[in-house]
Amino acid sequence: MKIKLIASLLLTAFAGVASAAPQSFDFKDPKGVNNAVFKLDAPLEAINGSANGVSGTVAFDPANPAATKGKIVVAAESLTVPNPMMKEHMHGGQWLDVANNKEIIFEARELKDVKTVGDKTSANVTGTLTIKGVTKEVTAPVTLTYLKGKLGQRVPKMEGDLLVIRATFIIKRTDYGINPGAPAEKVSNEIELTLSIAGASPQK
Amino acid sequence: MKRGIQILAGAVVVVALAAWLTTGAHRGWTKTQIEVKTLDEVTGIEGITYQKGFWPGVDFLGAGLIGAGVLAGVSFLFRSKSNPQHQQQTNKL
């Protein structure tokens, strides 16, 4: 009897482990809070702006955060700066050419130096960043915060989990062919991209 | 005519300067929208929305001052109304 009980408990536990697949988090935020901020700090001019057209999915396993993979897409058209003429130039052919390059894509391939404390995981994420049709490999520090059962607090009548991702990338404008001829003292060659996004994984 | 253009140039300077100063003497470019940050309490993310409006920058002030300068310059293309007494004296000579 005892052996049967132990065997059945072990089987249940094994089945539990075997079925612990990564959760899929959808980053299309109905509240419109998800955003990407970009900063260019040149000696003569600082340019700050943001984008809120964020979407994509990330597969995250709370039991194994190191296995996190996913794709985040920012609609290039949603990039905004407060000056209308500057925005028009930024969207134009010389700069981002949003008419022909509608998406900025980051595809996370692997996480390194993973440290998890409580619900927060910090790591260095390596993946590919595509801007204006140019794809380059990038590595950036990232923080993932797993908020178990918190989806209902954001979206009423929905149960599930949330995953908050924060990452900061520093890229070079010339690497992506964004008006490489523009003088660096007016428009910085270094662009700091900060991603602050939350994804939802509703319970099925 | 000359006097009128000079008054208009002065008015352009006053209006441009007043608009720039009363909206906060913003030293960047002119803005037609301004960032409004809202905190999402569940995720801790600062959401960014934009409020529409008009905040003149140094480009607006510069354009106002250049416009006034051009008007003042144009005013010198017009002759002043001649003084009749001065005209008579010139004729006698």
PDB file of all heavy atoms in Angstrom, chain A residues 33 35 37 45 50 80-84 86 147 154 162 164 166 196-198, chain B residues 29-35 38 40 42-50 59:
ATOM      1  N   VAL A  33       0.494  51.190 -22.153  1.00  0.00           N
ATOM      2  CA  VAL A  33       1.550  51.689 -21.263  1.00  0.00           C
ATOM      3  C   VAL A  33       2.941  51.297 -21.782  1.00  0.00           C
ATOM      4  O   VAL A  33       3.907  52.036 -21.593  1.00  0.00           O
ATOM      5  CB  VAL A  33       1.325  51.143 -19.825  1.00  0.00           C
ATOM      6  CG1 VAL A  33       2.503  51.443 -18.929  1.00  0.00           C
ATOM      7  CG2 VAL A  33       0.051  51.739 -19.240  1.00  0.00           C
ATOM      8  N   ASN A  35       6.251  50.938 -23.601  1.00  0.00           N
ATOM      9  CA  ASN A  35       6.917  51.964 -24.399  1.00  0.00           C
ATOM     10  C   ASN A  35       8.406  51.697 -24.573  1.00  0.00           C
ATOM     11  O   ASN A  35       9.016  50.975 -23.797  1.00  0.00           O
ATOM     12  CB  ASN A  35       6.697  53.351 -23.788  1.00  0.00           C
ATOM     13  CG  ASN A  35       7.332  53.495 -22.435  1.00  0.00           C
ATOM     14  OD1 ASN A  35       8.540  53.674 -22.327  1.00  0.00           O
ATOM     15  ND2 ASN A  35       6.539  53.398 -21.373  1.00  0.00           N
ATOM     16  N   VAL A  37      11.786  54.123 -25.150  1.00  0.00           N
ATOM     17  CA  VAL A  37      12.254  55.514 -25.131  1.00  0.00           C
ATOM     18  C   VAL A  37      13.619  55.563 -25.807  1.00  0.00           C
ATOM     19  O   VAL A  37      14.444  54.676 -25.598  1.00  0.00           O
ATOM     20  CB  VAL A  37      12.349  56.024 -23.665  1.00  0.00           C
ATOM     21  CG1 VAL A  37      13.048  57.371 -23.594  1.00  0.00           C
ATOM     22  CG2 VAL A  37      10.967  56.116 -23.038  1.00  0.00           C
ATOM     23  N   GLU A  45      22.977  69.195 -29.382  1.00  0.00           N
ATOM     24  CA  GLU A  45      21.535  68.982 -29.291  1.00  0.00           C
ATOM     25  C   GLU A  45      21.196  67.625 -28.669  1.00  0.00           C
ATOM     26  O   GLU A  45      21.800  66.618 -29.019  1.00  0.00           O
ATOM     27  CB  GLU A  45      20.936  69.056 -30.704  1.00  0.00           C
ATOM     28  CG  GLU A  45      19.450  69.241 -30.712  1.00  0.00           C
ATOM     29  CD  GLU A  45      18.900  69.433 -32.120  1.00  0.00           C
ATOM     30  OE1 GLU A  45      19.683  69.630 -33.062  1.00  0.00           O
ATOM     31  OE2 GLU A  45      17.673  69.374 -32.255  1.00  0.00           O
ATOM     32  N   SER A  50       9.829  58.783 -27.890  1.00  0.00           N
ATOM     33  CA  SER A  50       9.348  57.479 -27.438  1.00  0.00           C
ATOM     34  C   SER A  50       8.475  56.828 -28.506  1.00  0.00           C
ATOM     35  O   SER A  50       8.073  57.476 -29.475  1.00  0.00           O
ATOM     36  CB  SER A  50       8.559  57.635 -26.140  1.00  0.00           C
ATOM     37  OG  SER A  50       7.381  58.357 -26.380  1.00  0.00           O
ATOM     38  N   THR A  80       7.870  58.922 -31.802  1.00  0.00           N
ATOM     39  CA  THR A  80       7.426  60.320 -31.717  1.00  0.00           C
ATOM     40  C   THR A  80       8.453  61.181 -30.995  1.00  0.00           C
ATOM     41  O   THR A  80       9.067  60.743 -30.031  1.00  0.00           O
ATOM     42  CB  THR A  80       6.087  60.376 -30.942  1.00  0.00           C
ATOM     43  OG1 THR A  80       5.134  59.599 -31.650  1.00  0.00           O
ATOM     44  CG2 THR A  80       5.553  61.776 -30.813  1.00  0.00           C
ATOM     45  N   VAL A  81       8.615  62.405 -31.498  1.00  0.00           N
ATOM     46  CA  VAL A  81       9.361  63.446 -30.786  1.00  0.00           C
ATOM     47  C   VAL A  81       8.431  64.666 -30.689  1.00  0.00           C
ATOM     48  O   VAL A  81       7.511  64.790 -31.500  1.00  0.00           O
ATOM     49  CB  VAL A  81      10.687  63.827 -31.504  1.00  0.00           C
ATOM     50  CG1 VAL A  81      11.736  62.770 -31.343  1.00  0.00           C
ATOM     51  CG2 VAL A  81      10.455  64.136 -32.966  1.00  0.00           C
ATOM     52  N   PRO A  82       8.650  65.532 -29.709  1.00  0.00           N
ATOM     53  CA  PRO A  82       7.680  66.635 -29.523  1.00  0.00           C
ATOM     54  C   PRO A  82       7.649  67.680 -30.637  1.00  0.00           C
ATOM     55  O   PRO A  82       6.672  68.396 -30.775  1.00  0.00           O
ATOM     56  CB  PRO A  82       8.135  67.287 -28.207  1.00  0.00           C
ATOM     57  CG  PRO A  82       8.948  66.247 -27.523  1.00  0.00           C
ATOM     58  CD  PRO A  82       9.614  65.475 -28.607  1.00  0.00           C
ATOM     59  N   ASN A  83       8.729  67.774 -31.443  1.00  0.00           N
ATOM     60  CA  ASN A  83       8.754  68.767 -32.522  1.00  0.00           C
ATOM     61  C   ASN A  83       8.244  68.137 -33.818  1.00  0.00           C
ATOM     62  O   ASN A  83       8.786  67.131 -34.278  1.00  0.00           O
ATOM     63  CB  ASN A  83      10.178  69.295 -32.716  1.00  0.00           C
ATOM     64  CG  ASN A  83      10.256  70.363 -33.785  1.00  0.00           C
ATOM     65  OD1 ASN A  83      10.450  70.072 -34.952  1.00  0.00           O
ATOM     66  ND2 ASN A  83      10.076  71.596 -33.388  1.00  0.00           N
ATOM     67  N   PRO A  84       7.179  68.711 -34.428  1.00  0.00           N
ATOM     68  CA  PRO A  84       6.560  68.068 -35.596  1.00  0.00           C
ATOM     69  C   PRO A  84       7.479  67.936 -36.803  1.00  0.00           C
ATOM     70  O   PRO A  84       7.444  66.936 -37.516  1.00  0.00           O
ATOM     71  CB  PRO A  84       5.354  68.969 -35.903  1.00  0.00           C
ATOM     72  CG  PRO A  84       5.623  70.260 -35.224  1.00  0.00           C
ATOM     73  CD  PRO A  84       6.510  69.972 -34.063  1.00  0.00           C
ATOM     74  N   MET A  86      10.776  67.746 -36.744  1.00  0.00           N
ATOM     75  CA  MET A  86      11.786  66.742 -36.416  1.00  0.00           C
ATOM     76  C   MET A  86      11.207  65.324 -36.596  1.00  0.00           C
ATOM     77  O   MET A  86      11.868  64.422 -37.089  1.00  0.00           O
ATOM     78  CB  MET A  86      12.243  66.946 -34.975  1.00  0.00           C
ATOM     79  CG  MET A  86      13.559  66.295 -34.649  1.00  0.00           C
ATOM     80  SD  MET A  86      13.975  66.541 -32.925  1.00  0.00           S
ATOM     81  CE  MET A  86      14.715  68.153 -32.965  1.00  0.00           C
ATOM     82  N   LEU A 147       5.143  38.525 -12.332  1.00  0.00           N
ATOM     83  CA  LEU A 147       4.079  38.879 -11.388  1.00  0.00           C
ATOM     84  C   LEU A 147       2.970  37.834 -11.489  1.00  0.00           C
ATOM     85  O   LEU A 147       2.047  37.957 -12.299  1.00  0.00           O
ATOM     86  CB  LEU A 147       3.553  40.292 -11.684  1.00  0.00           C
ATOM     87  CG  LEU A 147       4.593  41.421 -11.630  1.00  0.00           C
ATOM     88  CD1 LEU A 147       4.020  42.723 -12.150  1.00  0.00           C
ATOM     89  CD2 LEU A 147       5.120  41.616 -10.222  1.00  0.00           C
ATOM     90  N   ARG A 154      -4.776  44.355 -13.551  1.00  0.00           N
ATOM     91  CA  ARG A 154      -4.652  45.280 -14.686  1.00  0.00           C
ATOM     92  C   ARG A 154      -5.855  45.188 -15.608  1.00  0.00           C
ATOM     93  O   ARG A 154      -6.343  46.195 -16.110  1.00  0.00           O
ATOM     94  CB  ARG A 154      -3.400  44.962 -15.515  1.00  0.00           C
ATOM     95  CG  ARG A 154      -2.165  45.553 -14.976  1.00  0.00           C
ATOM     96  CD  ARG A 154      -1.075  45.378 -15.992  1.00  0.00           C
ATOM     97  NE  ARG A 154      -0.801  46.629 -16.675  1.00  0.00           N
ATOM     98  CZ  ARG A 154      -0.441  46.710 -17.929  1.00  0.00           C
ATOM     99  NH1 ARG A 154      -0.354  45.635 -18.663  1.00  0.00           N
ATOM    100  NH2 ARG A 154      -0.179  47.883 -18.470  1.00  0.00           N
ATOM    101  N   LEU A 162       1.644  38.228 -15.209  1.00  0.00           N
ATOM    102  CA  LEU A 162       2.258  39.321 -15.962  1.00  0.00           C
ATOM    103  C   LEU A 162       3.782  39.146 -15.958  1.00  0.00           C
ATOM    104  O   LEU A 162       4.338  38.602 -15.005  1.00  0.00           O
ATOM    105  CB  LEU A 162       1.934  40.673 -15.306  1.00  0.00           C
ATOM    106  CG  LEU A 162       0.503  41.194 -15.382  1.00  0.00           C
ATOM    107  CD1 LEU A 162       0.324  42.378 -14.455  1.00  0.00           C
ATOM    108  CD2 LEU A 162       0.156  41.594 -16.812  1.00  0.00           C
ATOM    109  N   VAL A 164       7.082  41.661 -16.618  1.00  0.00           N
ATOM    110  CA  VAL A 164       7.569  43.011 -16.923  1.00  0.00           C
ATOM    111  C   VAL A 164       9.024  42.897 -17.373  1.00  0.00           C
ATOM    112  O   VAL A 164       9.837  42.274 -16.698  1.00  0.00           O
ATOM    113  CB  VAL A 164       7.464  43.936 -15.685  1.00  0.00           C
ATOM    114  CG1 VAL A 164       7.986  45.326 -16.010  1.00  0.00           C
ATOM    115  CG2 VAL A 164       6.025  44.008 -15.199  1.00  0.00           C
ATOM    116  N   ARG A 166      12.396  45.055 -18.626  1.00  0.00           N
ATOM    117  CA  ARG A 166      13.083  46.347 -18.770  1.00  0.00           C
ATOM    118  C   ARG A 166      14.466  46.077 -19.339  1.00  0.00           C
ATOM    119  O   ARG A 166      15.192  45.233 -18.795  1.00  0.00           O
ATOM    120  CB  ARG A 166      13.226  47.040 -17.413  1.00  0.00           C
ATOM    121  CG  ARG A 166      11.905  47.490 -16.822  1.00  0.00           C
ATOM    122  CD  ARG A 166      12.143  47.997 -15.415  1.00  0.00           C
ATOM    123  NE  ARG A 166      10.895  48.159 -14.707  1.00  0.00           N
ATOM    124  CZ  ARG A 166      10.142  49.242 -14.758  1.00  0.00           C
ATOM    125  NH1 ARG A 166      10.520  50.267 -15.481  1.00  0.00           N
ATOM    126  NH2 ARG A 166       9.022  49.308 -14.082  1.00  0.00           N
ATOM    127  N   SER A 196      10.474  49.411 -21.719  1.00  0.00           N
ATOM    128  CA  SER A 196       9.733  49.122 -20.480  1.00  0.00           C
ATOM    129  C   SER A 196       8.382  48.557 -20.901  1.00  0.00           C
ATOM    130  O   SER A 196       7.495  49.299 -21.332  1.00  0.00           O
ATOM    131  CB  SER A 196       9.516  50.401 -19.670  1.00  0.00           C
ATOM    132  OG  SER A 196      10.725  51.062 -19.458  1.00  0.00           O
ATOM    133  N   ILE A 197       8.259  47.245 -20.784  1.00  0.00           N
ATOM    134  CA  ILE A 197       7.058  46.596 -21.328  1.00  0.00           C
ATOM    135  C   ILE A 197       6.520  45.523 -20.380  1.00  0.00           C
ATOM    136  O   ILE A 197       7.268  44.916 -19.624  1.00  0.00           O
ATOM    137  CB  ILE A 197       7.349  45.980 -22.717  1.00  0.00           C
ATOM    138  CG1 ILE A 197       8.576  45.047 -22.672  1.00  0.00           C
ATOM    139  CG2 ILE A 197       7.579  47.068 -23.745  1.00  0.00           C
ATOM    140  CD1 ILE A 197       8.843  44.297 -23.954  1.00  0.00           C
ATOM    141  N   ALA A 198       5.225  45.329 -20.463  1.00  0.00           N
ATOM    142  CA  ALA A 198       4.580  44.290 -19.658  1.00  0.00           C
ATOM    143  C   ALA A 198       3.779  43.381 -20.581  1.00  0.00           C
ATOM    144  O   ALA A 198       3.048  43.854 -21.450  1.00  0.00           O
ATOM    145  CB  ALA A 198       3.663  44.920 -18.625  1.00  0.00           C
TER     146      ALA A 198
ATOM    147  N   TRP B  29      13.643  73.236 -29.286  1.00  0.00           N
ATOM    148  CA  TRP B  29      12.838  73.523 -30.476  1.00  0.00           C
ATOM    149  C   TRP B  29      11.367  73.686 -30.075  1.00  0.00           C
ATOM    150  O   TRP B  29      10.946  73.212 -29.022  1.00  0.00           O
ATOM    151  CB  TRP B  29      12.942  72.378 -31.485  1.00  0.00           C
ATOM    152  CG  TRP B  29      14.322  72.164 -32.044  1.00  0.00           C
ATOM    153  CD1 TRP B  29      15.143  71.112 -31.782  1.00  0.00           C
ATOM    154  CD2 TRP B  29      15.030  73.019 -32.933  1.00  0.00           C
ATOM    155  NE1 TRP B  29      16.324  71.257 -32.467  1.00  0.00           N
ATOM    156  CE2 TRP B  29      16.288  72.417 -33.180  1.00  0.00           C
ATOM    157  CE3 TRP B  29      14.742  74.242 -33.547  1.00  0.00           C
ATOM    158  CZ2 TRP B  29      17.240  72.993 -34.016  1.00  0.00           C
ATOM    159  CZ3 TRP B  29      15.692  74.806 -34.389  1.00  0.00           C
ATOM    160  CH2 TRP B  29      16.917  74.184 -34.612  1.00  0.00           C
ATOM    161  N   THR B  30      10.580  74.284 -30.947  1.00  0.00           N
ATOM    162  CA  THR B  30       9.143  74.443 -30.714  1.00  0.00           C
ATOM    163  C   THR B  30       8.484  73.059 -30.612  1.00  0.00           C
ATOM    164  O   THR B  30       8.819  72.151 -31.372  1.00  0.00           O
ATOM    165  CB  THR B  30       8.513  75.238 -31.879  1.00  0.00           C
ATOM    166  OG1 THR B  30       9.092  76.540 -31.867  1.00  0.00           O
ATOM    167  CG2 THR B  30       7.002  75.345 -31.764  1.00  0.00           C
ATOM    168  N   LYS B  31       7.594  72.912 -29.653  1.00  0.00           N
ATOM    169  CA  LYS B  31       6.900  71.628 -29.472  1.00  0.00           C
ATOM    170  C   LYS B  31       5.416  71.799 -29.743  1.00  0.00           C
ATOM    171  O   LYS B  31       4.830  72.804 -29.345  1.00  0.00           O
ATOM    172  CB  LYS B  31       7.068  71.139 -28.029  1.00  0.00           C
ATOM    173  CG  LYS B  31       8.480  70.784 -27.649  1.00  0.00           C
ATOM    174  CD  LYS B  31       8.532  70.383 -26.191  1.00  0.00           C
ATOM    175  CE  LYS B  31       9.939  70.005 -25.781  1.00  0.00           C
ATOM    176  NZ  LYS B  31      10.008  69.597 -24.371  1.00  0.00           N
ATOM    177  N   THR B  32       4.827  70.801 -30.398  1.00  0.00           N
ATOM    178  CA  THR B  32       3.372  70.824 -30.574  1.00  0.00           C
ATOM    179  C   THR B  32       2.715  69.732 -29.733  1.00  0.00           C
ATOM    180  O   THR B  32       1.514  69.557 -29.757  1.00  0.00           O
ATOM    181  CB  THR B  32       2.973  70.641 -32.048  1.00  0.00           C
ATOM    182  OG1 THR B  32       3.566  69.441 -32.522  1.00  0.00           O
ATOM    183  CG2 THR B  32       3.414  71.812 -32.901  1.00  0.00           C
ATOM    184  N   GLN B  33       3.532  68.954 -29.047  1.00  0.00           N
ATOM    185  CA  GLN B  33       2.995  67.987 -28.092  1.00  0.00           C
ATOM    186  C   GLN B  33       4.012  67.808 -26.970  1.00  0.00           C
ATOM    187  O   GLN B  33       5.210  67.952 -27.183  1.00  0.00           O
ATOM    188  CB  GLN B  33       2.655  66.664 -28.756  1.00  0.00           C
ATOM    189  CG  GLN B  33       3.724  66.088 -29.653  1.00  0.00           C
ATOM    190  CD  GLN B  33       3.248  64.807 -30.313  1.00  0.00           C
ATOM    191  OE1 GLN B  33       2.096  64.433 -30.243  1.00  0.00           O
ATOM    192  NE2 GLN B  33       4.160  64.105 -30.945  1.00  0.00           N
ATOM    193  N   ILE B  34       3.503  67.523 -25.809  1.00  0.00           N
ATOM    194  CA  ILE B  34       4.382  67.390 -24.650  1.00  0.00           C
ATOM    195  C   ILE B  34       4.102  66.066 -23.947  1.00  0.00           C
ATOM    196  O   ILE B  34       2.968  65.601 -23.899  1.00  0.00           O
ATOM    197  CB  ILE B  34       4.233  68.619 -23.712  1.00  0.00           C
ATOM    198  CG1 ILE B  34       5.441  68.769 -22.823  1.00  0.00           C
ATOM    199  CG2 ILE B  34       2.946  68.582 -22.923  1.00  0.00           C
ATOM    200  CD1 ILE B  34       5.593  70.159 -22.220  1.00  0.00           C
ATOM    201  N   GLU B  35       5.171  65.458 -23.449  1.00  0.00           N
ATOM    202  CA  GLU B  35       5.065  64.147 -22.777  1.00  0.00           C
ATOM    203  C   GLU B  35       4.329  64.261 -21.448  1.00  0.00           C
ATOM    204  O   GLU B  35       4.615  65.160 -20.662  1.00  0.00           O
ATOM    205  CB  GLU B  35       6.463  63.626 -22.460  1.00  0.00           C
ATOM    206  CG  GLU B  35       7.090  62.818 -23.541  1.00  0.00           C
ATOM    207  CD  GLU B  35       8.419  62.223 -23.098  1.00  0.00           C
ATOM    208  OE1 GLU B  35       8.749  62.239 -21.903  1.00  0.00           O
ATOM    209  OE2 GLU B  35       9.119  61.754 -23.987  1.00  0.00           O
ATOM    210  N   THR B  38       2.497  58.657 -16.906  1.00  0.00           N
ATOM    211  CA  THR B  38       1.551  58.091 -15.938  1.00  0.00           C
ATOM    212  C   THR B  38       2.108  56.763 -15.437  1.00  0.00           C
ATOM    213  O   THR B  38       2.636  55.981 -16.221  1.00  0.00           O
ATOM    214  CB  THR B  38       0.170  57.837 -16.576  1.00  0.00           C
ATOM    215  OG1 THR B  38       0.374  57.167 -17.815  1.00  0.00           O
ATOM    216  CG2 THR B  38      -0.600  59.110 -16.819  1.00  0.00           C
ATOM    217  N   ASP B  40       1.871  53.075 -14.093  1.00  0.00           N
ATOM    218  CA  ASP B  40       1.021  51.894 -13.991  1.00  0.00           C
ATOM    219  C   ASP B  40       1.393  51.223 -12.656  1.00  0.00           C
ATOM    220  O   ASP B  40       2.504  50.723 -12.500  1.00  0.00           O
ATOM    221  CB  ASP B  40       1.298  50.954 -15.169  1.00  0.00           C
ATOM    222  CG  ASP B  40       0.411  49.723 -15.141  1.00  0.00           C
ATOM    223  OD1 ASP B  40       0.589  48.861 -14.271  1.00  0.00           O
ATOM    224  OD2 ASP B  40      -0.472  49.643 -15.987  1.00  0.00           O
ATOM    225  N   VAL B  42       0.492  48.512 -11.128  1.00  0.00           N
ATOM    226  CA  VAL B  42       0.697  47.059 -11.044  1.00  0.00           C
ATOM    227  C   VAL B  42       2.094  46.686 -11.550  1.00  0.00           C
ATOM    228  O   VAL B  42       2.823  45.933 -10.897  1.00  0.00           O
ATOM    229  CB  VAL B  42      -0.396  46.294 -11.840  1.00  0.00           C
ATOM    230  CG1 VAL B  42      -0.186  44.805 -11.730  1.00  0.00           C
ATOM    231  CG2 VAL B  42      -1.773  46.686 -11.344  1.00  0.00           C
ATOM    232  N   THR B  43       2.469  47.233 -12.694  1.00  0.00           N
ATOM    233  CA  THR B  43       3.745  46.841 -13.305  1.00  0.00           C
ATOM    234  C   THR B  43       4.895  47.792 -12.941  1.00  0.00           C
ATOM    235  O   THR B  43       6.055  47.436 -13.118  1.00  0.00           O
ATOM    236  CB  THR B  43       3.619  46.822 -14.843  1.00  0.00           C
ATOM    237  OG1 THR B  43       3.254  48.137 -15.282  1.00  0.00           O
ATOM    238  CG2 THR B  43       2.567  45.830 -15.305  1.00  0.00           C
ATOM    239  N   GLY B  44       4.570  48.995 -12.490  1.00  0.00           N
ATOM    240  CA  GLY B  44       5.594  49.982 -12.165  1.00  0.00           C
ATOM    241  C   GLY B  44       6.150  50.674 -13.396  1.00  0.00           C
ATOM    242  O   GLY B  44       7.130  51.410 -13.321  1.00  0.00           O
ATOM    243  N   ILE B  45       5.513  50.445 -14.553  1.00  0.00           N
ATOM    244  CA  ILE B  45       5.990  51.071 -15.790  1.00  0.00           C
ATOM    245  C   ILE B  45       5.417  52.479 -15.904  1.00  0.00           C
ATOM    246  O   ILE B  45       4.251  52.708 -15.628  1.00  0.00           O
ATOM    247  CB  ILE B  45       5.568  50.232 -17.032  1.00  0.00           C
ATOM    248  CG1 ILE B  45       6.290  48.891 -17.006  1.00  0.00           C
ATOM    249  CG2 ILE B  45       5.854  50.971 -18.328  1.00  0.00           C
ATOM    250  CD1 ILE B  45       5.853  47.941 -18.115  1.00  0.00           C
ATOM    251  N   GLU B  46       6.288  53.405 -16.319  1.00  0.00           N
ATOM    252  CA  GLU B  46       5.838  54.776 -16.565  1.00  0.00           C
ATOM    253  C   GLU B  46       5.349  54.865 -18.001  1.00  0.00           C
ATOM    254  O   GLU B  46       6.145  54.815 -18.941  1.00  0.00           O
ATOM    255  CB  GLU B  46       6.988  55.758 -16.357  1.00  0.00           C
ATOM    256  CG  GLU B  46       6.971  56.390 -14.997  1.00  0.00           C
ATOM    257  CD  GLU B  46       7.875  57.599 -14.908  1.00  0.00           C
ATOM    258  OE1 GLU B  46       8.747  57.787 -15.761  1.00  0.00           O
ATOM    259  OE2 GLU B  46       7.706  58.356 -13.942  1.00  0.00           O
ATOM    260  N   GLY B  47       4.047  54.955 -18.174  1.00  0.00           N
ATOM    261  CA  GLY B  47       3.479  55.078 -19.514  1.00  0.00           C
ATOM    262  C   GLY B  47       3.651  56.507 -20.018  1.00  0.00           C
ATOM    263  O   GLY B  47       3.659  57.446 -19.231  1.00  0.00           O
ATOM    264  N   ILE B  48       3.813  56.640 -21.333  1.00  0.00           N
ATOM    265  CA  ILE B  48       4.001  57.977 -21.913  1.00  0.00           C
ATOM    266  C   ILE B  48       2.860  58.276 -22.871  1.00  0.00           C
ATOM    267  O   ILE B  48       2.628  57.535 -23.825  1.00  0.00           O
ATOM    268  CB  ILE B  48       5.359  58.080 -22.642  1.00  0.00           C
ATOM    269  CG1 ILE B  48       6.494  57.820 -21.646  1.00  0.00           C
ATOM    270  CG2 ILE B  48       5.534  59.444 -23.297  1.00  0.00           C
ATOM    271  CD1 ILE B  48       7.842  57.600 -22.299  1.00  0.00           C
ATOM    272  N   THR B  49       2.148  59.365 -22.588  1.00  0.00           N
ATOM    273  CA  THR B  49       1.135  59.830 -23.533  1.00  0.00           C
ATOM    274  C   THR B  49       1.521  61.262 -23.921  1.00  0.00           C
ATOM    275  O   THR B  49       2.354  61.881 -23.266  1.00  0.00           O
ATOM    276  CB  THR B  49      -0.280  59.830 -22.921  1.00  0.00           C
ATOM    277  OG1 THR B  49      -0.241  60.539 -21.687  1.00  0.00           O
ATOM    278  CG2 THR B  49      -0.793  58.427 -22.683  1.00  0.00           C
ATOM    279  N   TYR B  50       0.895  61.756 -24.972  1.00  0.00           N
ATOM    280  CA  TYR B  50       1.241  63.107 -25.438  1.00  0.00           C
ATOM    281  C   TYR B  50       0.038  64.037 -25.375  1.00  0.00           C
ATOM    282  O   TYR B  50      -1.058  63.668 -25.799  1.00  0.00           O
ATOM    283  CB  TYR B  50       1.815  63.057 -26.856  1.00  0.00           C
ATOM    284  CG  TYR B  50       3.223  62.528 -26.875  1.00  0.00           C
ATOM    285  CD1 TYR B  50       3.480  61.168 -27.004  1.00  0.00           C
ATOM    286  CD2 TYR B  50       4.305  63.378 -26.714  1.00  0.00           C
ATOM    287  CE1 TYR B  50       4.777  60.676 -26.997  1.00  0.00           C
ATOM    288  CE2 TYR B  50       5.602  62.902 -26.705  1.00  0.00           C
ATOM    289  CZ  TYR B  50       5.836  61.558 -26.850  1.00  0.00           C
ATOM    290  OH  TYR B  50       7.118  61.078 -26.833  1.00  0.00           O
ATOM    291  N   ASP B  59      13.519  78.487 -31.992  1.00  0.00           N
ATOM    292  CA  ASP B  59      13.316  78.661 -33.442  1.00  0.00           C
ATOM    293  C   ASP B  59      12.192  79.656 -33.705  1.00  0.00           C
ATOM    294  O   ASP B  59      12.264  80.489 -34.607  1.00  0.00           O
ATOM    295  CB  ASP B  59      13.029  77.319 -34.128  1.00  0.00           C
ATOM    296  CG  ASP B  59      11.927  76.520 -33.454  1.00  0.00           C
ATOM    297  OD1 ASP B  59      11.699  76.714 -32.249  1.00  0.00           O
ATOM    298  OD2 ASP B  59      11.290  75.685 -34.132  1.00  0.00           O
TER     299      ASP B  59
END
